[in-house]
């Protein structure tokens, strides 16, 4: 499976995204993914399934399907742990749940600092600070991103993580980060698919030598069940995607994933279905033409499905935009 350089390591371009996989299904899904050839697993404290992911990793290793050093495991620092006093403890909690001694990559999940919620009180804590309040709502904390990043750098020095990076940053935040980072981010993870091509942000990251991972690379499919998208917004139904799939004798999903890796981004599609695991990673035996690449990129409509400026107000009683 093709890989990209991330810091001093090499990360497979196709990973298994663990978001929205139920804890009860996670261990089996991970074992089957590793059996199918996956070596890149993308998780986060907020997903609530890291202990089950750890179980799946342990089972795969015990069955001889892989070694720990064969795997690339990513996790993410949640918003409530941005204060430097809590960054290492949050990382260690993920490591304990995963049953690992180190992470290959640890990312700041959102450029949003929230008040600390003790592990013993609620884990993962989610977006609402006090669930027992008369009007539960999202709250923010006065923690500079620079302070959080400095403590992330210390995790590398302590050997808890190999590489660090950021998620959901825009170009302005990325420019700012590069002015104070002693250790530049080794990865930028963002929502990207043909309806949200993010060309300027990808170019900005490339100028800094920062590789990019696209989450939700198939677009609306991850969000329909959350009422954050509707079925009519599926890029898989676009004529250019369908025609390319027919020409290549591939599925529309494979065409969209191929578009993503062919333009230089890694992808972390989520699935717990064995047949989709194989389908999603079978994208390295064909190539889209320049015309097909351009036509798929032209589908961009700046449609962001994962937008705190929308879902925080709707679900957590606070308007909190991070994208203009």
């Amino acid at each position: 499976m093709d890989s990209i350089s991330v810091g001093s390591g090499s990360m497979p371009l196709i990973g298994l995204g663990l978001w929205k996989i139920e804890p009860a299904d996670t261990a089996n899904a991970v074992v089957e993914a590793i059996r199918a050839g996956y070596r890149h697993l993308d998780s986060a404290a907020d997903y609530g399934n890291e202990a089950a992911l750890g179980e799946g990793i342990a089972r795969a290793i015990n069955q001889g399907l892989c070694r720990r050093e064969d795997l690339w495991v990513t996790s993410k620092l949640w918003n409530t742990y941005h204060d430097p006093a809590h960054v290492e403890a949050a990382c260690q909690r993920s490591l304990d749940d995963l049953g690992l001694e180190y992470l290959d990559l640890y990312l700041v999940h959102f450029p949003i600092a929230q008040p600390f919620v003790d592990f013993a009180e609620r884990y993962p804590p989610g977006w609402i600070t006090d669930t027992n309040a008369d009007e539960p709502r999202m709250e923010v904390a006065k923690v500079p991103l620079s302070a959080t990043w400095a403590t992330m750098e210390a995790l590398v020095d302590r050997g808890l993580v190999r590489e660090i990076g950021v998620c959901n940053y825009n170009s302005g935040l990325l420019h700012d980060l590069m002015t104070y980072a002693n250790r530049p981010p080794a990865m930028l993870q963002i929502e990207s698919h043909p309806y949200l091509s993010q060309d300027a942000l990808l170019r900005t990251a490339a100028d800094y030598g920062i590789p990019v991972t696209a989450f939700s690379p198939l677009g609306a499919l991850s969000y329909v069940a959350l009422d954050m998208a509707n079925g009519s917004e599926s890029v898989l139904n676009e004529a250019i995607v369908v025609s390319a799939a027919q020409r290549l004798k591939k599925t529309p999903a494979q065409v969209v994933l191929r578009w993503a890796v062919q333009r230089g981004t890694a992808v972390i599609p989520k699935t717990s279905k064995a047949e989709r695991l194989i389908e999603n990673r079978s994208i390295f035996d064909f190539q889209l033409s320049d015309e097909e690449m351009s036509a798929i990129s032209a589908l961009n409509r700046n449609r962001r499905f994962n937008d705190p400026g929308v879902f925080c107000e709707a679900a957590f009683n606070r308007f909190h935009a991070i994208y203009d």
Side-chain angles (χ1 to χ4, degrees):
M1 185 181 294
D2 286 12
S3 300
I4 56 172
S5 295
V6 178
S8 60
S10 181
M11 187 184 82
L13 279 169
I14 299 287
L16 175 66
L18 276 295
W19 181 49
K20 294 203 304 131
I21 297 183
E22 291 295 328
D25 299 328
T26 298
N28 286 337
V30 168
V31 172
E32 292 310 310
I34 292 173
R35 193 189 311 278
Y38 285 78
R39 296 295 182 266
H40 172 187
L41 304 168
D42 184 272
S43 184
D46 185 56
Y47 300 167
N49 56 11
E50 287 197 319
L53 168 57
E55 178 188 341
I57 291 172
R59 282 168 47 188
I61 292 173
N62 290 338
Q63 292 176 28
L65 299 177
C66 67
R67 303 168 300 168
R68 167 62 185 101
E69 54 266 34
D70 298 328
L71 299 176
W72 181 280
V73 182
T74 297
S75 186
K76 306 178 187 76
L77 177 76
W78 185 240
N79 305 344
T80 54
Y81 310 128
H82 273 218
D83 190 295
H86 307 302
V87 170
E88 183 174 333
C91 179
Q92 189 62 58
R93 172 60 189 261
S94 283
L95 287 170
D96 291 344
D97 284 349
L98 293 166
L100 301 177
E101 294 183 354
Y102 68 91
L103 291 167
D104 297 276
L105 179 63
Y106 197 45
L107 305 172
V108 177
H109 202 150
F110 280 95
I112 301 171
Q114 296 185 251
F116 175 65
V117 177
D118 193 276
F119 300 143
E121 180 179 339
R122 192 171 70 252
Y123 188 88
W127 290 86
I128 292 177
T129 302
D130 182 1
T131 57
N132 296 317
D134 291 339
E135 295 183 3
R137 68 194 301 263
M138 171 192 174
E139 298 177 11
V140 296
K142 292 184 177 181
V143 181
L145 291 171
S146 58
T148 303
W149 186 255
T151 317
M152 294 281 286
E153 293 176 332
L155 298 178
V156 181
D157 297 334
R158 292 181 60 82
L160 297 178
V161 305
R162 298 284 174 86
E163 304 293 343
I164 54 176
V166 293
C167 295
N168 300 300
Y169 272 44
N170 58 31
S171 293
L173 289 178
L174 201 60
H175 288 308
D176 189 50
L177 171 57
M178 296 301 290
T179 68
Y180 58 74
N182 292 314
R183 181 182 293 274
M187 177 60 67
L188 170 65
Q189 187 176 123
I190 55 171
E191 179 183 349
S192 185
H193 41 77
Y195 286 164
L196 184 68
S197 59
Q198 302 250 50
D199 292 339
L201 183 52
L202 264 61
R203 185 174 176 181
T204 299
D207 284 347
Y208 284 123
I210 303 169
V212 174
T213 297
F215 71 78
S216 302
L218 297 175
L221 293 182
S222 297
Y223 299 95
V224 173
L226 301 176
D227 292 327
M228 296 165 69
N230 60 68
S232 66
E233 294 183 283
S234 176
V235 69
L236 303 186
N237 297 326
E238 290 285 352
I240 179 58
V241 173
V242 173
S243 66
Q246 291 172 343
R247 179 182 75 82
L248 295 160
K249 296 181 172 55
K250 294 290 183 177
T251 67
Q254 287 174 312
V255 167
V256 172
L257 294 176
R258 178 66 203 185
W259 169 83
V261 300
Q262 201 165 312
R263 70 200 294 256
T265 64
V267 290
I268 45 172
K270 167 261 176 184
T271 186
S272 56
K273 297 179 179 179
E275 65 275 15
R276 290 287 173 79
L277 287 169
I278 296 171
E279 175 186 327
N280 287 347
R281 70 181 294 268
S282 300
I283 61 171
F284 296 102
D285 59 348
F286 70 97
Q287 189 164 346
L288 297 171
S289 69
D290 291 343
E291 292 76 16
E292 287 166 335
M293 287 293 295
S294 295
I296 294 173
S297 295
L299 296 173
N300 179 57
R301 56 179 71 168
N302 296 320
R303 175 60 165 107
R304 189 184 303 277
F305 296 105
N306 195 326
D307 188 346
V310 176
F311 68 74
C312 284
E313 185 171 29
F316 310 123
N317 300 316
R318 183 191 184 100
F319 174 69
H320 194 84
I322 62 174
Y323 309 111
D324 297 329

